[in-house]
Amino acid sequence: AGDGLTKDTNAIRAALKACNEVLLAANHTFLSGPLNLTSHQILVVDGTLLASTERSDYALIQPLMGYGWGNDENCFPPDAE
């Protein structure tokens, strides 16, 4: 809708799923929950992207294991470069 009142999350997500580049047009305010862009996707915001203030839009998820995360205290030896 781009009116700043109606949540545009699902529409933006659908556009990102269908296209590699999505434009949020100037002179519009897009209200949205979290979005996920992957490699080679572009979100062009010529208007305003307004984050939803509803906590329910932001689900808590378990953190993913990444570099430097592990069960040991020091993941890398002191002399690692």
Coordinates of all heavy atoms in Angstrom, one line a residue:
A1 N 0.8 -1.2 0.0 CA 0.0 0.0 0.0 C 0.9 1.3 0.0 O 0.5 2.2 -0.6 CB -0.9 0.0 1.2
G2 N 2.0 1.2 0.8 CA 2.9 2.3 0.8 C 2.3 3.6 1.5 O 2.7 4.7 1.2
D3 N 1.3 3.3 2.4 CA 0.7 4.5 3.1 C 1.2 4.7 4.5 O 0.8 5.6 5.2 CB -0.9 4.3 3.1 CG -1.3 3.0 3.9 OD1 -0.4 2.4 4.5 OD2 -2.5 2.7 3.8
G4 N 2.1 3.8 4.9 CA 2.7 4.0 6.2 C 1.8 3.4 7.4 O 2.2 3.5 8.5
L5 N 0.7 3.0 7.0 CA -0.3 2.4 8.0 C -0.5 0.9 7.8 O -0.6 0.2 8.8 CB -1.6 3.2 8.0 CG -1.5 4.7 8.2 CD1 -2.9 5.3 7.9 CD2 -1.1 5.0 9.6
T6 N -0.6 0.5 6.6 CA -0.8 -0.9 6.2 C 0.5 -1.6 6.2 O 1.5 -1.1 5.5 CB -1.5 -1.0 4.9 OG1 -2.7 -0.2 4.9 CG2 -1.9 -2.4 4.5
K7 N 0.6 -2.8 6.8 CA 1.9 -3.5 6.7 C 2.1 -4.0 5.3 O 1.3 -4.7 4.7 CB 1.8 -4.7 7.7 CG 2.1 -4.3 9.1 CD 2.3 -5.5 10.0 CE 2.4 -5.1 11.4 NZ 2.3 -6.3 12.3
D8 N 3.3 -3.7 4.8 CA 3.7 -4.1 3.5 C 4.7 -5.3 3.5 O 5.2 -5.7 2.4 CB 4.3 -2.9 2.7 CG 3.4 -1.8 2.6 OD1 2.3 -2.0 2.0 OD2 3.7 -0.7 3.1
T9 N 4.9 -5.9 4.6 CA 5.9 -7.0 4.8 C 5.7 -8.1 3.7 O 6.6 -8.5 3.0 CB 5.9 -7.6 6.2 OG1 5.9 -6.5 7.1 CG2 7.0 -8.5 6.4
N10 N 4.5 -8.6 3.7 CA 4.2 -9.8 2.8 C 4.4 -9.4 1.3 O 4.9 -10.2 0.5 CB 2.8 -10.4 3.0 CG 2.8 -11.1 4.4 OD1 3.8 -11.5 4.9 ND2 1.6 -11.2 4.9
A11 N 4.0 -8.2 0.9 CA 4.1 -7.8 -0.4 C 5.6 -7.6 -0.8 O 6.0 -8.0 -1.9 CB 3.4 -6.5 -0.7
I12 N 6.4 -7.0 0.1 CA 7.8 -6.8 -0.2 C 8.5 -8.2 -0.2 O 9.3 -8.4 -1.1 CB 8.4 -5.9 0.9 CG1 7.8 -4.5 0.9 CG2 9.9 -5.8 0.7 CD1 8.2 -3.6 2.0
R13 N 8.2 -9.1 0.7 CA 8.8 -10.4 0.7 C 8.5 -11.1 -0.6 O 9.3 -11.8 -1.2 CB 8.3 -11.2 1.9 CG 8.9 -10.8 3.2 CD 8.4 -11.6 4.3 NE 8.9 -11.2 5.6 CZ 8.5 -11.6 6.8 NH1 7.4 -12.5 6.8 NH2 9.0 -11.2 7.9
A14 N 7.2 -11.0 -1.1 CA 6.8 -11.7 -2.3 C 7.6 -11.1 -3.5 O 8.0 -11.8 -4.4 CB 5.3 -11.6 -2.5
A15 N 7.7 -9.8 -3.5 CA 8.5 -9.2 -4.6 C 10.0 -9.6 -4.6 O 10.5 -9.9 -5.6 CB 8.4 -7.6 -4.5
L16 N 10.5 -9.7 -3.4 CA 11.9 -10.1 -3.2 C 12.1 -11.6 -3.7 O 13.1 -12.0 -4.2 CB 12.4 -10.0 -1.8 CG 12.7 -8.5 -1.4 CD1 12.9 -8.4 0.1 CD2 13.9 -8.0 -2.1
K17 N 11.1 -12.4 -3.4 CA 11.1 -13.8 -3.8 C 11.0 -13.9 -5.4 O 11.7 -14.8 -6.0 CB 10.0 -14.6 -3.2 CG 10.0 -16.0 -3.4 CD 8.9 -16.8 -2.7 CE 9.0 -18.3 -2.9 NZ 8.0 -19.0 -2.2
A18 N 10.3 -13.0 -6.0 CA 10.1 -13.1 -7.4 C 11.1 -12.4 -8.3 O 11.3 -12.7 -9.4 CB 8.7 -12.6 -7.8
C19 N 11.8 -11.4 -7.7 CA 12.7 -10.5 -8.4 C 14.0 -10.4 -7.7 O 14.1 -10.4 -6.5 CB 12.1 -9.2 -8.6 SG 10.4 -9.2 -9.3
N20 N 15.1 -10.1 -8.5 CA 16.4 -9.8 -7.9 C 16.5 -8.4 -7.4 O 17.4 -8.1 -6.7 CB 17.5 -10.2 -8.8 CG 17.6 -11.7 -9.0 OD1 17.3 -12.5 -8.1 ND2 18.1 -12.2 -10.1
E21 N 15.7 -7.5 -8.0 CA 15.7 -6.1 -7.6 C 14.3 -5.6 -7.4 O 13.4 -5.8 -8.2 CB 16.4 -5.3 -8.7 CG 16.6 -3.8 -8.3 CD 17.5 -3.1 -9.3 OE1 18.2 -3.7 -10.1 OE2 17.5 -1.8 -9.2
V22 N 14.1 -4.9 -6.2 CA 12.8 -4.4 -5.8 C 13.0 -2.9 -5.5 O 13.9 -2.5 -4.8 CB 12.3 -5.2 -4.6 CG1 11.0 -4.5 -4.1 CG2 12.1 -6.6 -5.0
L23 N 12.1 -2.1 -6.0 CA 12.1 -0.7 -5.8 C 10.9 -0.3 -4.9 O 9.7 -0.6 -5.2 CB 11.9 0.0 -7.2 CG 11.7 1.5 -7.1 CD1 12.8 2.3 -6.5 CD2 11.3 2.1 -8.5
L24 N 11.2 0.4 -3.8 CA 10.1 1.0 -3.0 C 10.1 2.4 -3.4 O 11.0 3.2 -3.2 CB 10.5 0.8 -1.5 CG 10.6 -0.6 -1.0 CD1 10.9 -0.6 0.5 CD2 9.4 -1.4 -1.3
A25 N 9.0 2.8 -4.1 CA 8.8 4.0 -4.8 C 8.9 5.3 -3.9 O 8.5 5.2 -2.7 CB 7.5 4.0 -5.6
A26 N 9.4 6.4 -4.5 CA 9.4 7.6 -3.8 C 8.0 8.1 -3.4 O 7.0 7.7 -4.0 CB 10.1 8.7 -4.7
N27 N 8.0 9.0 -2.5 CA 6.7 9.6 -2.0 C 5.8 8.6 -1.4 O 4.6 8.8 -1.3 CB 6.0 10.4 -3.1 CG 6.9 11.4 -3.7 OD1 7.6 12.2 -2.9 ND2 7.0 11.5 -5.0
H28 N 6.3 7.4 -0.9 CA 5.5 6.4 -0.2 C 6.2 6.0 1.0 O 7.5 6.0 1.0 CB 5.2 5.2 -1.1 CG 4.3 5.4 -2.3 ND1 4.8 6.0 -3.4 CD2 3.0 5.2 -2.4 CE1 3.7 6.1 -4.3 NE2 2.7 5.6 -3.7
T29 N 5.5 5.5 2.0 CA 6.1 5.0 3.3 C 5.6 3.6 3.4 O 4.4 3.3 3.5 CB 5.6 5.8 4.5 OG1 6.1 7.2 4.3 CG2 6.2 5.3 5.8
F30 N 6.6 2.7 3.4 CA 6.3 1.2 3.5 C 6.6 0.7 4.9 O 7.7 0.8 5.4 CB 7.2 0.5 2.4 CG 7.0 0.9 1.0 CD1 7.6 2.0 0.5 CD2 6.0 0.3 0.3 CE1 7.4 2.4 -0.8 CE2 5.7 0.7 -1.0 CZ 6.4 1.8 -1.6
L31 N 5.5 0.3 5.5 CA 5.6 -0.3 6.9 C 5.9 -1.8 6.8 O 5.2 -2.5 6.1 CB 4.3 0.0 7.6 CG 4.1 -0.6 9.0 CD1 5.2 0.0 10.0 CD2 2.7 -0.4 9.5
S32 N 7.0 -2.2 7.4 CA 7.4 -3.6 7.3 C 8.0 -4.2 8.5 O 8.6 -3.5 9.3 CB 8.4 -3.7 6.1 OG 8.8 -5.0 5.9
G33 N 7.8 -5.5 8.7 CA 8.6 -6.3 9.6 C 9.9 -6.6 9.0 O 10.3 -6.1 8.0
P34 N 10.6 -7.6 9.6 CA 11.9 -8.0 9.1 C 11.9 -8.5 7.6 O 10.9 -9.2 7.3 CB 12.4 -9.1 10.0 CG 11.2 -9.6 10.7 CD 10.2 -8.5 10.7
L35 N 12.9 -8.2 6.9 CA 13.0 -8.7 5.5 C 14.4 -9.4 5.4 O 15.3 -9.1 6.2 CB 13.1 -7.5 4.6 CG 11.8 -6.6 4.6 CD1 12.1 -5.3 3.8 CD2 10.6 -7.3 4.1
N36 N 14.5 -10.4 4.5 CA 15.7 -11.1 4.3 C 16.1 -11.0 2.9 O 15.4 -11.5 2.0 CB 15.5 -12.6 4.7 CG 16.8 -13.4 4.5 OD1 17.8 -12.9 4.9 ND2 16.6 -14.6 4.0
L37 N 17.2 -10.4 2.7 CA 17.8 -10.3 1.3 C 19.0 -11.3 1.3 O 19.8 -11.4 2.2 CB 18.3 -8.9 1.0 CG 17.3 -7.9 0.5 CD1 16.4 -7.5 1.7 CD2 17.9 -6.7 -0.1
T38 N 19.1 -12.0 0.1 CA 20.2 -12.9 0.0 C 21.2 -12.3 -1.1 O 21.0 -11.2 -1.6 CB 19.7 -14.3 -0.5 OG1 18.9 -14.1 -1.7 CG2 18.8 -14.9 0.6
S39 N 22.2 -13.1 -1.4 CA 23.2 -12.6 -2.3 C 22.5 -12.2 -3.7 O 21.6 -12.9 -4.1 CB 24.2 -13.8 -2.6 OG 24.9 -14.1 -1.4
H40 N 23.0 -11.2 -4.2 CA 22.6 -10.7 -5.6 C 21.2 -10.2 -5.6 O 20.6 -10.1 -6.6 CB 22.8 -11.8 -6.6 CG 24.1 -12.4 -6.6 ND1 25.3 -11.7 -7.0 CD2 24.6 -13.6 -6.3 CE1 26.3 -12.4 -6.9 NE2 25.9 -13.6 -6.4
Q41 N 20.6 -9.8 -4.4 CA 19.3 -9.1 -4.4 C 19.6 -7.7 -4.0 O 20.5 -7.3 -3.2 CB 18.4 -9.7 -3.3 CG 17.8 -11.0 -3.8 CD 16.7 -11.5 -2.8 OE1 16.9 -11.6 -1.7 NE2 15.5 -11.7 -3.4
I42 N 18.8 -6.8 -4.6 CA 18.9 -5.4 -4.4 C 17.5 -4.8 -4.0 O 16.5 -5.1 -4.6 CB 19.4 -4.6 -5.6 CG1 20.7 -5.2 -6.1 CG2 19.4 -3.1 -5.4 CD1 21.2 -4.7 -7.4
L43 N 17.5 -4.1 -2.9 CA 16.3 -3.4 -2.4 C 16.6 -1.9 -2.5 O 17.4 -1.4 -1.8 CB 15.9 -3.8 -1.0 CG 14.7 -3.1 -0.4 CD1 13.5 -3.4 -1.2 CD2 14.5 -3.5 1.1
V44 N 16.0 -1.2 -3.4 CA 16.2 0.2 -3.7 C 15.0 0.9 -2.9 O 13.9 0.7 -3.2 CB 16.1 0.6 -5.2 CG1 16.3 2.0 -5.4 CG2 17.2 -0.2 -5.9
V45 N 15.4 1.8 -2.0 CA 14.4 2.5 -1.2 C 14.5 4.0 -1.6 O 15.3 4.7 -1.1 CB 14.6 2.3 0.3 CG1 13.6 3.0 1.1 CG2 14.7 0.8 0.7
D46 N 13.6 4.4 -2.5 CA 13.5 5.8 -2.9 C 12.5 6.5 -2.0 O 12.6 7.7 -1.8 CB 13.1 5.9 -4.3 CG 14.2 5.6 -5.3 OD1 15.4 5.5 -4.9 OD2 13.9 5.4 -6.5
G47 N 11.6 5.7 -1.4 CA 10.6 6.3 -0.5 C 11.1 6.1 0.9 O 12.3 6.2 1.2
T48 N 10.3 5.7 1.9 CA 10.6 5.5 3.3 C 10.3 4.1 3.6 O 9.2 3.6 3.4 CB 9.9 6.5 4.2 OG1 10.2 7.8 3.8 CG2 10.3 6.3 5.6
L49 N 11.2 3.4 4.3 CA 11.0 2.0 4.8 C 10.9 2.2 6.3 O 11.9 2.5 7.0 CB 12.1 1.1 4.4 CG 12.0 -0.3 4.9 CD1 10.7 -1.0 4.4 CD2 13.2 -1.2 4.4
L50 N 9.7 2.0 6.8 CA 9.4 2.2 8.2 C 9.3 0.8 8.9 O 8.5 0.0 8.5 CB 8.1 2.9 8.4 CG 7.6 3.3 9.8 CD1 8.5 4.3 10.4 CD2 6.2 3.9 9.6
A51 N 10.1 0.6 10.0 CA 10.1 -0.6 10.7 C 8.8 -0.7 11.6 O 8.5 0.2 12.3 CB 11.3 -0.7 11.6
S52 N 8.2 -1.9 11.6 CA 7.1 -2.2 12.4 C 7.5 -2.1 13.9 O 8.6 -2.5 14.2 CB 6.5 -3.6 12.1 OG 5.6 -3.9 13.1
T53 N 6.7 -1.6 14.8 CA 7.0 -1.5 16.2 C 6.3 -2.6 17.0 O 6.4 -2.6 18.2 CB 6.5 -0.1 16.8 OG1 5.1 0.0 16.5 CG2 7.3 1.0 16.1
E54 N 5.6 -3.6 16.3 CA 5.0 -4.7 16.9 C 6.0 -5.8 17.2 O 6.6 -6.3 16.3 CB 3.8 -5.2 16.1 CG 2.7 -4.3 16.0 CD 1.5 -4.9 15.3 OE1 1.3 -6.1 15.4 OE2 0.8 -4.1 14.6
R55 N 6.2 -6.1 18.5 CA 7.1 -7.1 18.9 C 6.9 -8.5 18.2 O 7.8 -9.2 17.9 CB 7.1 -7.3 20.4 CG 7.8 -6.2 21.1 CD 7.8 -6.5 22.6 NE 8.4 -5.4 23.4 CZ 9.5 -5.4 24.0 NH1 10.2 -6.5 23.9 NH2 10.0 -4.4 24.6
S56 N 5.6 -8.8 18.0 CA 5.2 -10.1 17.4 C 5.8 -10.2 16.0 O 5.9 -11.4 15.5 CB 3.7 -10.3 17.4 OG 3.1 -9.3 16.6
D57 N 6.2 -9.2 15.3 CA 6.7 -9.2 14.0 C 8.2 -9.7 14.0 O 8.7 -10.1 13.0 CB 6.7 -7.9 13.3 CG 5.3 -7.5 12.9 OD1 4.5 -8.4 12.7 OD2 5.0 -6.3 12.7
Y58 N 8.8 -9.7 15.2 CA 10.2 -10.1 15.3 C 10.4 -11.3 16.2 O 10.6 -11.2 17.4 CB 11.0 -8.9 15.9 CG 10.8 -7.7 15.1 CD1 9.9 -6.7 15.4 CD2 11.7 -7.4 14.0 CE1 9.7 -5.6 14.6 CE2 11.5 -6.3 13.2 CZ 10.5 -5.4 13.5 OH 10.4 -4.2 12.8
A59 N 10.3 -12.5 15.5 CA 10.4 -13.8 16.2 C 11.8 -14.0 16.8 O 12.8 -13.6 16.1 CB 10.0 -14.9 15.3
L60 N 11.9 -14.5 18.0 CA 13.2 -14.9 18.5 C 13.7 -16.2 17.8 O 12.9 -17.1 17.8 CB 13.2 -15.0 20.0 CG 13.1 -13.7 20.8 CD1 13.0 -14.1 22.3 CD2 14.2 -12.8 20.5
I61 N 14.9 -16.2 17.4 CA 15.4 -17.4 16.8 C 16.7 -17.8 17.4 O 17.4 -16.9 17.9 CB 15.6 -17.3 15.2 CG1 16.5 -16.1 14.9 CG2 14.2 -17.1 14.5 CD1 16.9 -16.1 13.5
Q62 N 17.1 -19.0 17.4 CA 18.4 -19.4 17.9 C 19.5 -18.9 17.1 O 19.4 -18.9 15.9 CB 18.5 -21.0 18.0 CG 17.6 -21.6 19.0 CD 18.2 -21.4 20.4 OE1 17.7 -20.5 21.1 NE2 19.2 -22.1 20.7
P63 N 20.6 -18.4 17.7 CA 21.7 -17.9 16.9 C 22.3 -19.1 16.2 O 22.3 -20.2 16.6 CB 22.7 -17.3 17.9 CG 22.2 -17.7 19.3 CD 20.8 -18.2 19.1
L64 N 22.8 -18.8 15.0 CA 23.5 -19.8 14.2 C 25.0 -19.8 14.6 O 25.6 -18.8 14.9 CB 23.5 -19.4 12.7 CG 22.1 -19.4 12.1 CD1 22.1 -18.8 10.7 CD2 21.4 -20.7 12.1
M65 N 25.5 -21.0 14.6 CA 26.9 -21.2 14.9 C 27.7 -20.5 13.8 O 27.4 -20.7 12.6 CB 27.3 -22.6 15.0 CG 26.7 -23.3 16.2 SD 27.3 -22.7 17.8 CE 28.9 -23.4 17.9
G66 N 28.8 -19.8 14.1 CA 29.6 -19.1 13.1 C 31.0 -19.2 13.5 O 31.4 -19.9 14.5
Y67 N 31.9 -18.6 12.7 CA 33.3 -18.6 13.0 C 33.5 -18.0 14.4 O 33.0 -16.9 14.7 CB 34.0 -17.8 11.9 CG 34.0 -18.4 10.6 CD1 33.3 -17.9 9.6 CD2 34.7 -19.6 10.4 CE1 33.2 -18.5 8.3 CE2 34.6 -20.2 9.1 CZ 33.9 -19.7 8.1 OH 33.8 -20.3 6.9
G68 N 34.4 -18.6 15.2 CA 34.7 -18.1 16.5 C 33.7 -18.5 17.6 O 33.9 -18.2 18.7
W69 N 32.6 -19.2 17.2 CA 31.7 -19.7 18.2 C 32.0 -21.2 18.4 O 32.1 -22.0 17.5 CB 30.3 -19.6 17.7 CG 29.8 -18.2 17.5 CD1 30.5 -17.1 17.0 CD2 28.5 -17.7 17.9 NE1 29.7 -16.0 17.0 CE2 28.5 -16.3 17.6 CE3 27.4 -18.2 18.5 CZ2 27.4 -15.5 17.8 CZ3 26.3 -17.4 18.7 CH2 26.3 -16.1 18.3
G70 N 32.0 -21.6 19.6 CA 32.2 -23.0 19.9 C 32.0 -23.3 21.4 O 31.8 -22.4 22.2
N71 N 32.2 -24.5 21.7 CA 32.0 -24.9 23.1 C 33.3 -24.6 23.9 O 33.2 -24.6 25.2 CB 31.7 -26.4 23.2 CG 30.3 -26.7 22.6 OD1 29.4 -25.8 22.7 ND2 30.1 -27.9 22.1
D72 N 34.4 -24.5 23.3 CA 35.7 -24.2 24.0 C 35.8 -22.7 24.3 O 35.2 -21.9 23.6 CB 36.9 -24.8 23.2 CG 37.0 -24.2 21.8 OD1 36.0 -23.6 21.4 OD2 38.0 -24.4 21.2
E73 N 36.6 -22.4 25.2 CA 36.8 -21.0 25.6 C 37.6 -20.2 24.5 O 37.2 -19.1 24.2 CB 37.5 -20.9 26.9 CG 37.5 -19.5 27.5 CD 38.1 -19.5 28.9 OE1 37.8 -20.5 29.7 OE2 38.8 -18.5 29.3
N74 N 38.6 -20.8 24.0 CA 39.4 -20.2 22.9 C 39.3 -21.0 21.7 O 39.8 -22.1 21.6 CB 40.9 -20.1 23.3 CG 41.0 -19.1 24.5 OD1 40.6 -18.0 24.5 ND2 41.7 -19.6 25.6
C75 N 38.7 -20.5 20.7 CA 38.5 -21.2 19.4 C 39.7 -21.3 18.6 O 39.9 -22.2 17.8 CB 37.3 -20.6 18.6 SG 35.8 -20.7 19.5
F76 N 40.6 -20.3 18.8 CA 41.8 -20.3 17.9 C 43.0 -20.2 18.9 O 43.0 -19.6 19.9 CB 41.8 -19.1 17.0 CG 40.6 -19.0 16.1 CD1 39.5 -18.2 16.4 CD2 40.5 -19.9 15.0 CE1 38.4 -18.2 15.6 CE2 39.4 -19.8 14.2 CZ 38.3 -19.0 14.5
P77 N 44.1 -20.9 18.5 CA 45.3 -20.8 19.3 C 45.8 -19.4 19.4 O 45.6 -18.6 18.4 CB 46.3 -21.8 18.7 CG 45.8 -21.9 17.3 CD 44.3 -21.7 17.3
P78 N 46.6 -19.0 20.4 CA 47.1 -17.6 20.5 C 48.0 -17.2 19.4 O 48.0 -16.0 19.0 CB 47.9 -17.6 21.8 CG 47.5 -18.9 22.5 CD 46.9 -19.8 21.5
D79 N 48.6 -18.1 18.7 CA 49.5 -17.7 17.6 C 48.9 -17.8 16.2 O 49.5 -17.6 15.2 CB 50.8 -18.6 17.6 CG 50.4 -20.1 17.4 OD1 49.2 -20.5 17.5 OD2 51.4 -20.9 17.2
A80 N 47.5 -18.0 16.2 CA 46.8 -18.0 14.9 C 46.8 -16.6 14.3 O 46.7 -15.6 14.9 CB 45.4 -18.5 15.1
E81 N 46.9 -16.6 13.0 CA 46.9 -15.3 12.3 C 45.6 -15.0 11.7 O 44.8 -15.8 11.2 CB 48.0 -15.3 11.2 CG 49.4 -15.3 11.8 CD 50.4 -15.2 10.7 OE1 50.2 -14.7 9.7 OE2 51.5 -15.8 11.0

